[in-house]
Amino acid sequence: SPQGRSKKKSRKHQRFMERRALLEQKGLLSPRHRPSSQGPVAGPEARSMLTKVNGTTAPRCGKVTKPKQVISPSLSPSASPDSIARHHSVLMSQGNGISKGVQTSTPLLRPGKYVAIDCEMVGTGPQGRLSELARCSVVNYEGDVIYDKYVRPELPIVDYRTRWSGITKQHMKSAIPFKAAQAEILKILKDKIVVGHAIHNDFQALKYFHPKDRTRDTSQIPMLKQRAGLPGRASVSLKNLARHLLQKKIQVGCRGHSSVEDAQTAMELYRLVEVQWEMELAHSLPPRPPSPITDPAVDSSQYMDDQYWPIDLMASGL
């Protein structure tokens, strides 16, 4: 019967395997690869079907061990210059250092943390000697324009300074009031690291003071002057730095400066020395204290609300 033949074949195979094992033990026969529980032994053709996963050879049906990934520490939106510099150094040690040109170490730090600003002023007051804001441009880390508006000064314009500012009477027709522009711009600058050239002039025109540890003034960076081969103590214009370091011509012609172009140029210069500058600042600037947590219970503007008064006092007052 078929069942009897099967038992006979099984006993025959068992004796064969026992003899083979004995010959292998005596060294008269080379050991044979045992079949795995997942299928037959892989021959030359089967072994050629192995696949490469993440640079390592592994069978298609086998379990692939995932390689370890080096995860860079991420930065919170409120990261201080210290943590930014430490983040740069960690990334550089992992082989993701700064590359040629203005490319930076990693996109993890960008893009919303940094902006660059430039303002154009006109003359008001006696003989036009008072400088007031007439245009403000803000660009992001990539140089894209995120704000560019003409601003109507609070005092009447005496000198448009068109040769330098590029502002004309025509521009004032579409200008917005200073207070409105100031509110919009300061909302953008809040909690940002702000880049600019001789940036104190821009802040003065905005009637604003930005925290020193979040300000990057390209006119005050010795390493930029060194790269350009210029004296460290010399007062260097944005135009000269752009020509020496970016091979870029700006502020040419008689139509005045472009605040958009100047802001973009300041950001490009910053990105040239970003890693080195941030690391130096991390050692020179004191650590920024954490922002205090506002407790509504001690906020004087809300102190008289019923919710902050004890229930027994409220009951006795009724």
Side-chain angles (χ1 to χ4, degrees), residues 38-297:
Q38 295 179 354
V41 177
E45 291 183 4
R47 285 193 294 271
S48 68
M49 297 298 290
L50 298 179
T51 57
K52 282 195 174 183
V53 180
N54 294 325
T56 59
T57 305
R60 286 179 180 172
C61 59
K63 186 177 181 180
V64 179
T65 304
K66 292 183 179 180
K68 277 190 175 182
Q69 295 181 349
V70 180
I71 301 175
S72 303
S74 59
L75 291 175
S76 67
S78 59
S80 66
D82 288 344
S83 58
I84 291 171
R86 285 194 295 271
H87 188 75
H88 272 303
S89 61
V90 168
L91 291 167
M92 290 179 73
S93 67
Q94 293 176 357
N96 294 329
I98 193 166
S99 58
K100 293 182 179 180
V102 296
Q103 297 299 317
T104 53
S105 54
T106 173
L108 289 177
L109 298 176
R110 315 280 86 78
K113 189 71 179 174
Y114 296 80
V115 295
I117 189 173
D118 187 74
C119 298
E120 300 298 341
M121 278 72 84
V122 292
T124 63
Q127 300 178 352
R129 291 179 181 176
L130 183 63
S131 292
E132 286 199 56
L133 183 67
R135 183 185 180 185
C136 182
S137 302
V138 182
V139 302
N140 64 13
Y141 183 81
E142 303 297 335
D144 301 321
V145 178
I146 57 178
Y147 188 90
D148 182 31
K149 290 186 180 182
Y150 291 101
V151 182
R152 188 183 309 116
E154 294 180 301
L155 296 176
I157 299 174
V158 177
D159 184 359
Y160 282 92
R161 304 178 185 174
T162 306
R163 172 67 179 81
W164 297 276
S165 69
I167 305 295
T168 65
K169 189 176 181 178
Q170 189 69 22
H171 292 136
M172 290 298 104
K173 292 181 179 180
S174 60
I176 65 173
F178 171 78
K179 290 293 184 183
Q182 183 191 48
E184 292 174 350
I185 296 163
L186 298 193
K187 188 175 181 181
I188 295 172
L189 302 187
K190 184 181 179 182
D191 297 327
K192 298 290 195 304
I193 291 179
V194 185
V195 180
H197 193 84
I199 199 170
H200 61 279
N201 293 323
D202 303 303
F203 291 151
Q204 187 176 357
L206 286 166
K207 299 181 180 180
Y208 168 70
F209 175 79
H210 198 69
K212 183 180 179 181
D213 63 342
R214 293 182 179 272
T215 301
R216 306 290 183 266
D217 191 340
T218 53
S219 70
Q220 302 295 325
I221 318 177
M223 63 191 75
L224 277 177
K225 298 176 185 178
Q226 291 170 6
R227 279 199 177 201
L230 301 169
R233 294 185 178 181
S235 178
V236 184
S237 67
L238 183 67
K239 183 176 182 177
N240 283 337
L241 286 176
R243 186 174 75 252
H244 282 90
L245 299 177
L246 304 174
Q247 289 73 51
K248 178 180 177 181
K249 291 183 179 181
I250 63 171
Q251 301 176 356
V252 294
C254 301
R255 295 185 178 180
H257 302 176
S258 165
S259 51
V260 169
E261 183 181 55
D262 289 354
Q264 290 171 336
T265 302
M267 182 61 84
E268 288 182 65
L269 289 170
Y270 167 75
R271 291 175 63 177
L272 279 178
V273 293
E274 177 184 4
V275 174
Q276 184 184 352
W277 194 6
E278 294 298 337
M279 292 183 73
E280 287 189 7
L281 284 174
H283 297 294
S284 62
L285 289 174
R288 185 178 180 87
S291 301
I293 300 173
T294 303
D295 183 1

